[in-house]
Amino acid sequence: MQANPQIGVLEVGGGLSSFGSFSAWYTRSEMDVYEANNTARASMSYVTGTHAMKVGVNVNFGKAVRDRRNNSAGDYTIMTRFGRPLFVTFNGNPLQSHEVLNPNLGIYAQDQWTVDRLTLNLGVRFDMFQTGYADHNNPPTANVPVARVFPGKTAVSWKDVQPRLGLAYDLRGDGRTALKATANRYGDREGMGHAAALNPADNNNTSGRRYWVDFTGDFIPNCDPLNPMPNGECFTPGNFDFGKAVINTFYDDDWAFGWGQRYSNWEFSGSVQHELIDGLSMNVAYFRRIFTNFNVNDNRAVSPSDYDPYCVTVPNDSRLPGGGGNELCGLYDLTASKVGLIDNIRTSADNFGKQTRHWNGVDVTLNARMANSLLLQGGWSAGRTTLDSCDLAAKLDNPTSLYC
């Protein structure tokens, strides 16, 4: 290990810093982020007396590149107590990570078709979403003398067919009362987060802290930072994964690839719009959203049987039901042999149990058009969301379900 004149030193005995700035101790690395998001779209319309047709395409692609490097604190930082070395923290930078948003495609077609007093809005959209990370080749660094090479991978690749349906009916044929209804499906908007969660370069252990005794008095930590066991002047077991990419979260291929897997919601609506008097109309609408395609992280290293039940005694308090003093059971704690074990897989929640999320809402709106072309609007809106994951919670890892 060679001396670095720019190392950051924090003196905890007197609360002072030297060489590097005080902030260098707390911010041991810097990061430059470059993000690009490009969009292209085109459409074509054809209008006749009874039809208004439109077809189009949207294309979106981008990337995110993060360059991590050591700042003025150097390749390692030191904590001292009254001038004597206490800890050394090794830095594994520089390191670059690179995620990509592959060309994502949206193709749609829609037609507004009028038949007598009925107007139909018929549409359908095809969506293809794909993201992953590029090939990585990070050269050796001062503390990690091996190249970190990671081949690129596609994280998720989804395809969806999403209808857009609506109708409007002139109830009396006089244009004063209209009945409307819609049914639409919308996929969740996604970015490159799924790729970053799997990218080895984003999950690389770039920091390792060790207890240090400066036997030689040269103020240089003479030890191997890649050896987590005591060696040279470094003691106490360190970060066993320092300089390594440790991925403990994986994706189920059946969830990450294929048709109709993306988190989505169906939106249904029904409304009545009526002209009360000339220039004044009222609209009453009901909305319902049904969310689908929930996903969960399942720790495969742990199962519900690995949790031990326990109870706690509720303190005596007149404000509690029955005055307290009773036992509250239905709690679970992970058995000691399983603590710290992580092997997560993200998959469909339907593999474990049922989960629901619904939203219901009502809108009442008044529109008044004044003689001077002034438009006044007002109304009332209310809605409620209901969630139910009780069936899922009892089957996924911790079985505690006090609120179900």
Side-chain angles (χ1 to χ4, degrees):
M1 180 65 65
Q2 297 180 349
N4 185 336
Q6 296 299 318
I7 60 173
V9 180
L10 177 66
E11 167 57 50
V12 297
L16 302 175
S17 63
S18 58
F19 299 105
S21 66
F22 188 74
S23 63
W25 173 259
Y26 294 102
T27 310
R28 294 182 292 271
S29 63
E30 296 175 346
M31 182 169 63
D32 291 331
V33 180
Y34 171 76
E35 294 184 349
N37 193 353
N38 304 283
T39 301
R41 60 184 181 182
S43 63
M44 181 177 63
S45 299
Y46 177 72
V47 181
T48 67
T50 57
H51 289 269
M53 300 180 62
K54 183 177 181 180
V55 295
V57 59
N58 296 328
V59 180
N60 177 254
F61 56 95
K63 64 180 180 179
V65 180
R66 285 176 287 278
D67 283 305
R68 299 173 176 85
R69 64 180 183 276
N70 299 331
N71 64 5
S72 59
D75 298 325
Y76 57 91
T77 53
I78 296 172
M79 179 184 291
T80 62
R81 181 174 175 82
F82 300 114
R84 299 179 65 86
L86 188 63
F87 292 105
V88 57
T89 300
F90 297 103
N91 300 320
N93 294 316
L95 183 69
Q96 183 184 89
S97 62
H98 184 182
E99 283 89 44
V100 293
L101 188 66
N102 294 330
N104 291 287
L105 182 65
I107 302 174
Y108 63 91
Q110 63 188 53
D111 181 22
Q112 186 180 83
W113 183 22
T114 302
V115 181
D116 194 17
R117 290 186 285 171
L118 177 65
T119 299
L120 297 174
N121 291 283
L122 308 175
V124 65
R125 179 183 177 92
F126 166 76
D127 281 315
M128 183 176 69
F129 174 84
Q130 188 178 97
T131 185
Y133 54 87
D135 293 336
H136 290 71
N137 190 353
N138 286 283
T141 68
N143 293 323
V144 185
V146 293
R148 284 166 282 186
V149 179
F150 314 120
K153 181 181 179 180
T154 298
V156 297
S157 180
W158 289 319
K159 301 177 182 66
D160 293 276
V161 175
Q162 308 189 117
R164 307 282 201 269
L165 306 173
L167 64 86
Y169 183 68
D170 185 352
L171 186 60
R172 299 177 179 175
D174 56 5
R176 297 178 65 92
T177 304
L179 304 179
K180 302 178 182 179
T182 64
N184 304 297
R185 185 182 189 272
Y186 300 95
D188 197 27
R189 296 193 66 176
E190 299 282 357
M192 287 173 273
H194 292 298
L198 298 185
N199 190 346
D202 278 320
N203 294 273
N204 201 277
N205 288 263
T206 58
S207 178
R209 185 178 180 181
R210 306 294 295 275
Y211 179 72
W212 170 34
V213 178
D214 189 15
F215 291 125
T216 61
D218 59 2
F219 224 64
I220 299 173
N222 296 292
C223 63
D224 180 6
L226 291 183
N227 181 357
M229 301 307 294
N231 71 95
E233 297 180 340
C234 296
F235 296 88
T236 67
N239 182 356
F240 280 74
D241 298 318
F242 176 66
K244 302 176 183 178
V246 178
I247 304 294
N248 53 28
T249 296
F250 305 90
Y251 294 164
D252 178 7
D253 285 349
D254 290 338
W255 169 78
F257 298 88
W259 290 81
Q261 298 295 326
R262 192 186 337 189
Y263 181 63
S264 307
N265 82 89
W266 279 92
E267 182 182 277
F268 303 93
S269 72
S271 64
V272 179
Q273 185 174 12
H274 179 66
E275 186 179 44
L276 303 174
I277 58 175
D278 289 343
L280 179 64
S281 65
M282 183 179 194
N283 185 72
V284 179
Y286 166 74
F287 300 91
R288 178 172 175 82
R289 291 179 184 167
I290 301 176
F291 294 83
T292 63
N293 294 342
F294 296 94
N295 62 80
V296 295
N297 280 329
D298 173 39
N299 187 356
R300 292 176 292 188
V302 175
S303 69
S305 62
D306 294 318
Y307 287 82
D308 300 321
Y310 69 95
C311 302
V312 296
T313 301
V314 178
N316 293 312
D317 193 315
S318 60
R319 294 170 297 179
L320 295 174
N326 58 306
E327 279 197 333
L328 178 64
C329 297
L331 300 172
Y332 292 81
D333 193 18
L334 184 62
T335 186
S337 62
K338 294 290 186 174
V339 173
L341 300 182
I342 301 176
D343 181 21
N344 287 330
I345 184 168
R346 183 172 295 183
T347 184
S348 171
D350 292 340
N351 292 331
F352 296 91
K354 183 179 180 181
Q355 182 176 5
T356 61
R357 178 185 176 189
H358 298 157
W359 183 84
N360 296 278
V362 176
D363 289 353
V364 178
T365 308
L366 287 172
N367 294 279
R369 185 173 297 278
M370 313 303 289
N372 57 0
S373 299
L374 177 66
L375 178 63
L376 299 178
Q377 292 182 320
W380 170 85
S381 180
R384 184 179 68 172
T385 298
T386 59
L387 303 171
D388 186 349
S389 57
C390 291
D391 181 57
L392 179 66
K395 302 172 183 176
L396 185 67
D397 297 339
N398 194 330
T400 299
S401 55
L402 288 178
Y403 301 102
C404 293

